[in-house]
Each structure stands twice: as C-alpha cells, then as structure tokens.
Amino acid sequence: MTAFPRTPAVAPSTRYAVYAGALCMGLTAALAGCAEEVDPDAGTNGVAKLSAKKIESKARQAVEAADAVRLSGNIVSHGETYELDMRLKEDGGSGKVTTEASTFEFLRVDDDLYLKADANFWKSQEDRESEADAAAAGKLDGKYVKVPAGDPAYKQLSGFTEMDLLLDGLLVLHGGLSKGERTEVSGVRTIRVAGGKGSGGTLDVSLEGTPYPLRFQRAGDAGVLRLADWNEDFELEAPGKEDIVDYGKKMTTAE
C-alpha cells in the first residue's frame, strides 16, 4: 500500500501565535479606521462652526437679500389656526390661506390687491344676514374682488403678500440664542438655532449653499413654517376682467 505523506503537525503554540497575529492585525486596522475623524462640515457652507448669534445673523442677511420665497405651514393666532401656502417676491405675491371657517386666496400685482374667497367668507363681511346678503355672497364665491387701496382692509390683507413684512414679523426668536442639533429639512442638511432653549422658537438654517432658513417653529407652539424655492422667480398676472366682480362696499376684517 502506498503511504500518503502526512500533513505536518503544527504545534499548538504556533497556531496560537498565528491566530493572535491575525487578531492583532484586524484589531489594529479597525482602530485605525475608527481613528479617522469624519468632518461633519465637509461639503457644507461652514456656518455650523459659527455661534448661534452669528448663524441667525447670516440667515437674516440671506433673507434680506432674497428676491423670492415660498412660505407654507400654519400660524396659530388668538386661538385660530391659519394654514398658509404663499409665493412671495418684491413686487407681489399669490397664495391661499385657510381657516376653520373659510378659504381665501390672495393675489397682489404691484399695488393691485385681489381677493378670491368662498361664500362663507363674504357672508362674514355682511352687517346682517338676509336672503339678499346670501345671494350677494353667492355671486362673489370663487371670484376675484379688487380691494381698494383706501379700504381699511387693504393694509391688513395685503400684509399676507408682502415678503419683507411677513418674514420680518414671523421669523423672530425670543430669548437667548443657542446652537442646537444638526437636522435635515427636505433632504437638505441644516443647523438648528433655538431661542430661549427652544421655548422661544427654533430656526433650521441650511448648511448647503446660501444659509437660508428652511424651517421655523414659532414660540409657544404658535405654528410651524417651511421656507423653500428661495430666489425662484414666478409669474404674477392680474386676473381677467371676466373673473373680477365689484364688492360694492368696504370690507371688514376680524381682529
């Protein structure tokens, strides 16, 4: 019978040495990998390295220099919630505001302000309810009404379409500022700035490109707003004559 060569025996001490060497090499490589620090600011605009006050200042500067924005979300005021979806720029704006009672749309082209609302809104403008009032409100339902510049309601209603006025009034943090966590809004990396440790509102500022504010939570749970489409222009055009009706009297607005 042919004898096959036997596999050389490996002493236990040799096997242990081989295993220990492999283990050490793997552990060393793993530790080396862990030691490689990943820069969280790589590929960002670097504002996360700034103080909370400077981040908020950079965001305000970006807002002031912007030509257009889309503002959506909700505002809680005097116990009522307003759902907003507005597109704004320097010479006008358009969009929709919804309350529990009614829905109305705004369109401002330069100084000309138009309001389109449902019948419920127009009924609320009447001094008394009657069949005539209901019929008038029905005719205005879904039509644009041009709000006279001298009407007491003009200033209040046009505020929804004035970009600078609306943003200055809404994007306000109360209390001392502090830098919060890194967040993400619609897939964009952001850094959070909080007022009053969060009770005074929070502002999520973009870490990509221009440091625009992308999300704002108002103090006291008074609403959450999203800001998008910064500097994206859009067309504003006055409605056709066939879509405009005359309200016929001055409007009133709720306090």
Side-chain angles (χ1 to χ4, degrees):
M1 180 180 292
T2 303
F4 291 95
R6 299 177 61 185
T7 303
V10 178
S13 59
T14 304
R15 289 201 301 270
Y16 296 153
V18 172
Y19 294 154
L23 178 62
C24 289
M25 289 179 63
L27 183 59
T28 301
L31 291 175
C34 293
E36 292 178 5
E37 295 185 3
V38 178
D39 183 3
D41 294 307
T44 74
N45 53 25
V47 299
K49 298 178 180 179
L50 304 176
S51 67
K53 187 174 182 180
K54 287 185 177 180
I55 295 172
E56 194 263 354
S57 177
K58 288 280 188 183
R60 285 211 164 272
Q61 291 173 17
V63 170
E64 291 171 2
D67 296 323
V69 67
R70 180 173 185 175
L71 180 69
S72 61
N74 61 78
I75 296 174
V76 180
S77 178
H78 301 291
E80 187 166 12
T81 299
Y82 298 83
E83 296 286 343
L84 280 71
D85 189 358
M86 305 292 299
R87 295 201 68 178
L88 309 166
K89 60 181 181 177
E90 293 300 323
D91 58 351
S94 65
K96 179 170 64 176
V97 177
T98 303
T99 68
E100 185 177 344
S102 59
T103 297
F104 42 101
E105 297 179 26
F106 293 103
L107 171 62
R108 183 172 65 83
V109 183
D110 294 324
D111 293 329
D112 293 334
L113 176 65
Y114 302 90
L115 177 65
K116 182 197 286 189
D118 55 24
N120 288 335
F121 175 83
W122 295 116
K123 286 178 182 177
S124 70
Q125 306 306 305
E126 303 293 345
D127 295 329
R128 64 183 186 283
E129 273 196 41
S130 67
E131 290 185 8
D133 292 337
K139 291 180 180 179
L140 296 172
D141 185 16
K143 293 287 187 178
Y144 281 103
V145 170
K146 186 175 182 180
V147 184
D151 192 298
Y154 180 91
K155 184 176 182 180
Q156 184 174 348
L157 296 175
S158 64
F160 283 98
T161 65
E162 294 181 17
M163 179 176 168
D164 293 340
L165 180 65
L166 196 59
L167 294 180
D168 286 346
L170 291 176
L171 303 183
V172 179
L173 294 172
H174 300 277
L177 300 182
S178 59
K179 187 162 59 173
E181 60 185 344
R182 293 169 185 267
T183 57
E184 191 173 286
V185 178
S186 299
V188 178
R189 289 175 292 174
T190 58
I191 183 71
R192 179 166 294 173
V193 176
K197 296 182 179 180
S199 63
T202 61
L203 187 68
D204 293 335
V205 180
S206 176
L207 290 178
E208 301 178 18
T210 305
Y212 289 119
L214 300 184
R215 182 182 181 277
F216 179 66
Q217 180 163 343
R218 303 182 72 210
D221 294 324
V224 177
L225 298 168
R226 287 181 176 268
L227 302 102
D229 300 341
W230 286 101
N231 276 339
E232 291 188 15
D233 196 16
F234 57 95
E235 186 176 355
L236 286 172
E237 185 176 352
K241 291 182 179 180
E242 67 279 4
D243 295 321
I244 302 174
V245 295
D246 182 15
Y247 180 66
K249 64 176 84 173
K250 288 186 176 180
M251 301 177 188
T252 59
T253 54
E255 293 295 332

mmCIF file with all atom_site columns, all heavy atoms in Angstrom, residues 63-82:
data_model
loop_
_atom_site.group_PDB
_atom_site.id
_atom_site.type_symbol
_atom_site.label_atom_id
_atom_site.label_alt_id
_atom_site.label_comp_id
_atom_site.label_asym_id
_atom_site.label_entity_id
_atom_site.label_seq_id
_atom_site.pdbx_PDB_ins_code
_atom_site.Cartn_x
_atom_site.Cartn_y
_atom_site.Cartn_z
_atom_site.occupancy
_atom_site.B_iso_or_equiv
_atom_site.pdbx_formal_charge
_atom_site.auth_seq_id
_atom_site.auth_comp_id
_atom_site.auth_asym_id
_atom_site.auth_atom_id
_atom_site.pdbx_PDB_model_num
ATOM 1   N N   . VAL A 1 63 ? -32.058 86.236 3.992  1.00 0.00 ? 63 VAL A N   1
ATOM 2   C CA  . VAL A 1 63 ? -33.465 86.580 3.771  1.00 0.00 ? 63 VAL A CA  1
ATOM 3   C C   . VAL A 1 63 ? -33.593 87.973 3.161  1.00 0.00 ? 63 VAL A C   1
ATOM 4   O O   . VAL A 1 63 ? -34.352 88.188 2.208  1.00 0.00 ? 63 VAL A O   1
ATOM 5   C CB  . VAL A 1 63 ? -34.253 86.500 5.100  1.00 0.00 ? 63 VAL A CB  1
ATOM 6   C CG1 . VAL A 1 63 ? -35.647 87.100 4.931  1.00 0.00 ? 63 VAL A CG1 1
ATOM 7   C CG2 . VAL A 1 63 ? -34.352 85.061 5.570  1.00 0.00 ? 63 VAL A CG2 1
ATOM 8   N N   . GLU A 1 64 ? -32.850 88.921 3.710  1.00 0.00 ? 64 GLU A N   1
ATOM 9   C CA  . GLU A 1 64 ? -32.931 90.305 3.225  1.00 0.00 ? 64 GLU A CA  1
ATOM 10  C C   . GLU A 1 64 ? -32.461 90.434 1.785  1.00 0.00 ? 64 GLU A C   1
ATOM 11  O O   . GLU A 1 64 ? -32.939 91.300 1.048  1.00 0.00 ? 64 GLU A O   1
ATOM 12  C CB  . GLU A 1 64 ? -32.105 91.211 4.143  1.00 0.00 ? 64 GLU A CB  1
ATOM 13  C CG  . GLU A 1 64 ? -32.707 91.374 5.537  1.00 0.00 ? 64 GLU A CG  1
ATOM 14  C CD  . GLU A 1 64 ? -31.772 92.086 6.497  1.00 0.00 ? 64 GLU A CD  1
ATOM 15  O OE1 . GLU A 1 64 ? -30.653 92.477 6.046  1.00 0.00 ? 64 GLU A OE1 1
ATOM 16  O OE2 . GLU A 1 64 ? -32.133 92.255 7.680  1.00 0.00 ? 64 GLU A OE2 1
ATOM 17  N N   . ALA A 1 65 ? -31.540 89.576 1.372  1.00 0.00 ? 65 ALA A N   1
ATOM 18  C CA  . ALA A 1 65 ? -31.005 89.667 0.012  1.00 0.00 ? 65 ALA A CA  1
ATOM 19  C C   . ALA A 1 65 ? -31.823 88.855 -0.999 1.00 0.00 ? 65 ALA A C   1
ATOM 20  O O   . ALA A 1 65 ? -31.606 88.982 -2.203 1.00 0.00 ? 65 ALA A O   1
ATOM 21  C CB  . ALA A 1 65 ? -29.547 89.181 -0.001 1.00 0.00 ? 65 ALA A CB  1
ATOM 22  N N   . ALA A 1 66 ? -32.749 88.041 -0.511 1.00 0.00 ? 66 ALA A N   1
ATOM 23  C CA  . ALA A 1 66 ? -33.514 87.155 -1.399 1.00 0.00 ? 66 ALA A CA  1
ATOM 24  C C   . ALA A 1 66 ? -34.571 87.929 -2.187 1.00 0.00 ? 66 ALA A C   1
ATOM 25  O O   . ALA A 1 66 ? -35.110 88.937 -1.726 1.00 0.00 ? 66 ALA A O   1
ATOM 26  C CB  . ALA A 1 66 ? -34.177 86.050 -0.591 1.00 0.00 ? 66 ALA A CB  1
ATOM 27  N N   . ASP A 1 67 ? -34.869 87.433 -3.381 1.00 0.00 ? 67 ASP A N   1
ATOM 28  C CA  . ASP A 1 67 ? -35.863 88.066 -4.251 1.00 0.00 ? 67 ASP A CA  1
ATOM 29  C C   . ASP A 1 67 ? -37.206 87.350 -4.228 1.00 0.00 ? 67 ASP A C   1
ATOM 30  O O   . ASP A 1 67 ? -38.218 87.929 -4.633 1.00 0.00 ? 67 ASP A O   1
ATOM 31  C CB  . ASP A 1 67 ? -35.354 88.100 -5.699 1.00 0.00 ? 67 ASP A CB  1
ATOM 32  C CG  . ASP A 1 67 ? -34.117 88.967 -5.856 1.00 0.00 ? 67 ASP A CG  1
ATOM 33  O OD1 . ASP A 1 67 ? -34.048 90.011 -5.186 1.00 0.00 ? 67 ASP A OD1 1
ATOM 34  O OD2 . ASP A 1 67 ? -33.213 88.589 -6.624 1.00 0.00 ? 67 ASP A OD2 1
ATOM 35  N N   . ALA A 1 68 ? -37.242 86.092 -3.791 1.00 0.00 ? 68 ALA A N   1
ATOM 36  C CA  . ALA A 1 68 ? -38.491 85.341 -3.810 1.00 0.00 ? 68 ALA A CA  1
ATOM 37  C C   . ALA A 1 68 ? -38.399 84.166 -2.841 1.00 0.00 ? 68 ALA A C   1
ATOM 38  O O   . ALA A 1 68 ? -37.312 83.702 -2.507 1.00 0.00 ? 68 ALA A O   1
ATOM 39  C CB  . ALA A 1 68 ? -38.795 84.828 -5.221 1.00 0.00 ? 68 ALA A CB  1
ATOM 40  N N   . VAL A 1 69 ? -39.566 83.681 -2.401 1.00 0.00 ? 69 VAL A N   1
ATOM 41  C CA  . VAL A 1 69 ? -39.617 82.551 -1.493 1.00 0.00 ? 69 VAL A CA  1
ATOM 42  C C   . VAL A 1 69 ? -41.017 81.943 -1.517 1.00 0.00 ? 69 VAL A C   1
ATOM 43  O O   . VAL A 1 69 ? -41.991 82.617 -1.859 1.00 0.00 ? 69 VAL A O   1
ATOM 44  C CB  . VAL A 1 69 ? -39.265 82.987 -0.042 1.00 0.00 ? 69 VAL A CB  1
ATOM 45  C CG1 . VAL A 1 69 ? -40.344 83.901 0.525  1.00 0.00 ? 69 VAL A CG1 1
ATOM 46  C CG2 . VAL A 1 69 ? -39.053 81.786 0.860  1.00 0.00 ? 69 VAL A CG2 1
ATOM 47  N N   . ARG A 1 70 ? -41.099 80.678 -1.145 1.00 0.00 ? 70 ARG A N   1
ATOM 48  C CA  . ARG A 1 70 ? -42.386 80.038 -0.923 1.00 0.00 ? 70 ARG A CA  1
ATOM 49  C C   . ARG A 1 70 ? -42.518 79.757 0.561  1.00 0.00 ? 70 ARG A C   1
ATOM 50  O O   . ARG A 1 70 ? -41.639 79.143 1.169  1.00 0.00 ? 70 ARG A O   1
ATOM 51  C CB  . ARG A 1 70 ? -42.513 78.732 -1.709 1.00 0.00 ? 70 ARG A CB  1
ATOM 52  C CG  . ARG A 1 70 ? -43.866 78.056 -1.491 1.00 0.00 ? 70 ARG A CG  1
ATOM 53  C CD  . ARG A 1 70 ? -44.065 76.866 -2.400 1.00 0.00 ? 70 ARG A CD  1
ATOM 54  N NE  . ARG A 1 70 ? -45.404 76.309 -2.243 1.00 0.00 ? 70 ARG A NE  1
ATOM 55  C CZ  . ARG A 1 70 ? -45.882 75.325 -2.990 1.00 0.00 ? 70 ARG A CZ  1
ATOM 56  N NH1 . ARG A 1 70 ? -45.143 74.788 -3.943 1.00 0.00 ? 70 ARG A NH1 1
ATOM 57  N NH2 . ARG A 1 70 ? -47.102 74.868 -2.788 1.00 0.00 ? 70 ARG A NH2 1
ATOM 58  N N   . LEU A 1 71 ? -43.619 80.189 1.132  1.00 0.00 ? 71 LEU A N   1
ATOM 59  C CA  . LEU A 1 71 ? -43.875 80.069 2.565  1.00 0.00 ? 71 LEU A CA  1
ATOM 60  C C   . LEU A 1 71 ? -45.113 79.206 2.774  1.00 0.00 ? 71 LEU A C   1
ATOM 61  O O   . LEU A 1 71 ? -46.190 79.524 2.260  1.00 0.00 ? 71 LEU A O   1
ATOM 62  C CB  . LEU A 1 71 ? -44.083 81.459 3.173  1.00 0.00 ? 71 LEU A CB  1
ATOM 63  C CG  . LEU A 1 71 ? -44.370 81.555 4.665  1.00 0.00 ? 71 LEU A CG  1
ATOM 64  C CD1 . LEU A 1 71 ? -43.136 81.160 5.463  1.00 0.00 ? 71 LEU A CD1 1
ATOM 65  C CD2 . LEU A 1 71 ? -44.785 82.976 5.030  1.00 0.00 ? 71 LEU A CD2 1
ATOM 66  N N   . SER A 1 72 ? -44.966 78.112 3.516  1.00 0.00 ? 72 SER A N   1
ATOM 67  C CA  . SER A 1 72 ? -46.110 77.235 3.762  1.00 0.00 ? 72 SER A CA  1
ATOM 68  C C   . SER A 1 72 ? -46.075 76.733 5.195  1.00 0.00 ? 72 SER A C   1
ATOM 69  O O   . SER A 1 72 ? -45.035 76.726 5.849  1.00 0.00 ? 72 SER A O   1
ATOM 70  C CB  . SER A 1 72 ? -46.102 76.054 2.787  1.00 0.00 ? 72 SER A CB  1
ATOM 71  O OG  . SER A 1 72 ? -44.929 75.275 2.945  1.00 0.00 ? 72 SER A OG  1
ATOM 72  N N   . GLY A 1 73 ? -47.238 76.308 5.665  1.00 0.00 ? 73 GLY A N   1
ATOM 73  C CA  . GLY A 1 73 ? -47.317 75.814 7.027  1.00 0.00 ? 73 GLY A CA  1
ATOM 74  C C   . GLY A 1 73 ? -48.519 76.392 7.729  1.00 0.00 ? 73 GLY A C   1
ATOM 75  O O   . GLY A 1 73 ? -49.554 76.664 7.107  1.00 0.00 ? 73 GLY A O   1
ATOM 76  N N   . ASN A 1 74 ? -48.401 76.587 9.042  1.00 0.00 ? 74 ASN A N   1
ATOM 77  C CA  . ASN A 1 74 ? -49.542 77.109 9.789  1.00 0.00 ? 74 ASN A CA  1
ATOM 78  C C   . ASN A 1 74 ? -49.111 78.126 10.832 1.00 0.00 ? 74 ASN A C   1
ATOM 79  O O   . ASN A 1 74 ? -47.983 78.084 11.340 1.00 0.00 ? 74 ASN A O   1
ATOM 80  C CB  . ASN A 1 74 ? -50.315 75.964 10.446 1.00 0.00 ? 74 ASN A CB  1
ATOM 81  C CG  . ASN A 1 74 ? -49.463 75.182 11.431 1.00 0.00 ? 74 ASN A CG  1
ATOM 82  O OD1 . ASN A 1 74 ? -49.222 75.613 12.548 1.00 0.00 ? 74 ASN A OD1 1
ATOM 83  N ND2 . ASN A 1 74 ? -48.993 74.007 11.020 1.00 0.00 ? 74 ASN A ND2 1
ATOM 84  N N   . ILE A 1 75 ? -50.028 79.030 11.127 1.00 0.00 ? 75 ILE A N   1
ATOM 85  C CA  . ILE A 1 75 ? -49.834 80.045 12.159 1.00 0.00 ? 75 ILE A CA  1
ATOM 86  C C   . ILE A 1 75 ? -51.024 79.975 13.105 1.00 0.00 ? 75 ILE A C   1
ATOM 87  O O   . ILE A 1 75 ? -52.174 79.942 12.658 1.00 0.00 ? 75 ILE A O   1
ATOM 88  C CB  . ILE A 1 75 ? -49.752 81.463 11.549 1.00 0.00 ? 75 ILE A CB  1
ATOM 89  C CG1 . ILE A 1 75 ? -48.531 81.589 10.640 1.00 0.00 ? 75 ILE A CG1 1
ATOM 90  C CG2 . ILE A 1 75 ? -49.708 82.520 12.648 1.00 0.00 ? 75 ILE A CG2 1
ATOM 91  C CD1 . ILE A 1 75 ? -48.482 82.912 9.909  1.00 0.00 ? 75 ILE A CD1 1
ATOM 92  N N   . VAL A 1 76 ? -50.747 79.949 14.401 1.00 0.00 ? 76 VAL A N   1
ATOM 93  C CA  . VAL A 1 76 ? -51.811 79.947 15.401 1.00 0.00 ? 76 VAL A CA  1
ATOM 94  C C   . VAL A 1 76 ? -51.847 81.328 16.048 1.00 0.00 ? 76 VAL A C   1
ATOM 95  O O   . VAL A 1 76 ? -50.844 81.790 16.598 1.00 0.00 ? 76 VAL A O   1
ATOM 96  C CB  . VAL A 1 76 ? -51.573 78.864 16.467 1.00 0.00 ? 76 VAL A CB  1
ATOM 97  C CG1 . VAL A 1 76 ? -52.705 78.872 17.499 1.00 0.00 ? 76 VAL A CG1 1
ATOM 98  C CG2 . VAL A 1 76 ? -51.448 77.488 15.820 1.00 0.00 ? 76 VAL A CG2 1
ATOM 99  N N   . SER A 1 77 ? -52.993 81.988 15.946 1.00 0.00 ? 77 SER A N   1
ATOM 100 C CA  . SER A 1 77 ? -53.130 83.336 16.490 1.00 0.00 ? 77 SER A CA  1
ATOM 101 C C   . SER A 1 77 ? -54.516 83.500 17.088 1.00 0.00 ? 77 SER A C   1
ATOM 102 O O   . SER A 1 77 ? -55.522 83.201 16.445 1.00 0.00 ? 77 SER A O   1
ATOM 103 C CB  . SER A 1 77 ? -52.912 84.374 15.381 1.00 0.00 ? 77 SER A CB  1
ATOM 104 O OG  . SER A 1 77 ? -53.074 85.684 15.873 1.00 0.00 ? 77 SER A OG  1
ATOM 105 N N   . HIS A 1 78 ? -54.559 83.970 18.343 1.00 0.00 ? 78 HIS A N   1
ATOM 106 C CA  . HIS A 1 78 ? -55.833 84.185 19.047 1.00 0.00 ? 78 HIS A CA  1
ATOM 107 C C   . HIS A 1 78 ? -56.716 82.945 19.010 1.00 0.00 ? 78 HIS A C   1
ATOM 108 O O   . HIS A 1 78 ? -57.936 83.029 18.833 1.00 0.00 ? 78 HIS A O   1
ATOM 109 C CB  . HIS A 1 78 ? -56.579 85.384 18.451 1.00 0.00 ? 78 HIS A CB  1
ATOM 110 C CG  . HIS A 1 78 ? -55.811 86.664 18.508 1.00 0.00 ? 78 HIS A CG  1
ATOM 111 N ND1 . HIS A 1 78 ? -55.532 87.320 19.688 1.00 0.00 ? 78 HIS A ND1 1
ATOM 112 C CD2 . HIS A 1 78 ? -55.231 87.401 17.522 1.00 0.00 ? 78 HIS A CD2 1
ATOM 113 C CE1 . HIS A 1 78 ? -54.837 88.414 19.439 1.00 0.00 ? 78 HIS A CE1 1
ATOM 114 N NE2 . HIS A 1 78 ? -54.632 88.486 18.136 1.00 0.00 ? 78 HIS A NE2 1
ATOM 115 N N   . GLY A 1 79 ? -56.089 81.785 19.147 1.00 0.00 ? 79 GLY A N   1
ATOM 116 C CA  . GLY A 1 79 ? -56.832 80.547 19.202 1.00 0.00 ? 79 GLY A CA  1
ATOM 117 C C   . GLY A 1 79 ? -57.283 80.011 17.864 1.00 0.00 ? 79 GLY A C   1
ATOM 118 O O   . GLY A 1 79 ? -57.923 78.952 17.798 1.00 0.00 ? 79 GLY A O   1
ATOM 119 N N   . GLU A 1 80 ? -56.953 80.695 16.777 1.00 0.00 ? 80 GLU A N   1
ATOM 120 C CA  . GLU A 1 80 ? -57.348 80.237 15.448 1.00 0.00 ? 80 GLU A CA  1
ATOM 121 C C   . GLU A 1 80 ? -56.114 79.839 14.645 1.00 0.00 ? 80 GLU A C   1
ATOM 122 O O   . GLU A 1 80 ? -55.066 80.485 14.726 1.00 0.00 ? 80 GLU A O   1
ATOM 123 C CB  . GLU A 1 80 ? -58.119 81.325 14.699 1.00 0.00 ? 80 GLU A CB  1
ATOM 124 C CG  . GLU A 1 80 ? -58.693 80.858 13.374 1.00 0.00 ? 80 GLU A CG  1
ATOM 125 C CD  . GLU A 1 80 ? -59.731 81.808 12.807 1.00 0.00 ? 80 GLU A CD  1
ATOM 126 O OE1 . GLU A 1 80 ? -59.863 82.938 13.315 1.00 0.00 ? 80 GLU A OE1 1
ATOM 127 O OE2 . GLU A 1 80 ? -60.407 81.413 11.846 1.00 0.00 ? 80 GLU A OE2 1
ATOM 128 N N   . THR A 1 81 ? -56.241 78.780 13.872 1.00 0.00 ? 81 THR A N   1
ATOM 129 C CA  . THR A 1 81 ? -55.130 78.292 13.065 1.00 0.00 ? 81 THR A CA  1
ATOM 130 C C   . THR A 1 81 ? -55.318 78.705 11.617 1.00 0.00 ? 81 THR A C   1
ATOM 131 O O   . THR A 1 81 ? -56.384 78.500 11.033 1.00 0.00 ? 81 THR A O   1
ATOM 132 C CB  . THR A 1 81 ? -55.032 76.762 13.140 1.00 0.00 ? 81 THR A CB  1
ATOM 133 O OG1 . THR A 1 81 ? -54.798 76.366 14.502 1.00 0.00 ? 81 THR A OG1 1
ATOM 134 C CG2 . THR A 1 81 ? -53.874 76.250 12.286 1.00 0.00 ? 81 THR A CG2 1
ATOM 135 N N   . TYR A 1 82 ? -54.275 79.296 11.049 1.00 0.00 ? 82 TYR A N   1
ATOM 136 C CA  . TYR A 1 82 ? -54.274 79.712 9.657  1.00 0.00 ? 82 TYR A CA  1
ATOM 137 C C   . TYR A 1 82 ? -53.289 78.830 8.893  1.00 0.00 ? 82 TYR A C   1
ATOM 138 O O   . TYR A 1 82 ? -52.111 78.777 9.239  1.00 0.00 ? 82 TYR A O   1
ATOM 139 C CB  . TYR A 1 82 ? -53.841 81.181 9.512  1.00 0.00 ? 82 TYR A CB  1
ATOM 140 C CG  . TYR A 1 82 ? -54.744 82.171 10.203 1.00 0.00 ? 82 TYR A CG  1
ATOM 141 C CD1 . TYR A 1 82 ? -54.611 82.442 11.571 1.00 0.00 ? 82 TYR A CD1 1
ATOM 142 C CD2 . TYR A 1 82 ? -55.726 82.853 9.492  1.00 0.00 ? 82 TYR A CD2 1
ATOM 143 C CE1 . TYR A 1 82 ? -55.436 83.352 12.207 1.00 0.00 ? 82 TYR A CE1 1
ATOM 144 C CE2 . TYR A 1 82 ? -56.550 83.778 10.118 1.00 0.00 ? 82 TYR A CE2 1
ATOM 145 C CZ  . TYR A 1 82 ? -56.402 84.019 11.476 1.00 0.00 ? 82 TYR A CZ  1
ATOM 146 O OH  . TYR A 1 82 ? -57.231 84.914 12.103 1.00 0.00 ? 82 TYR A OH  1
#
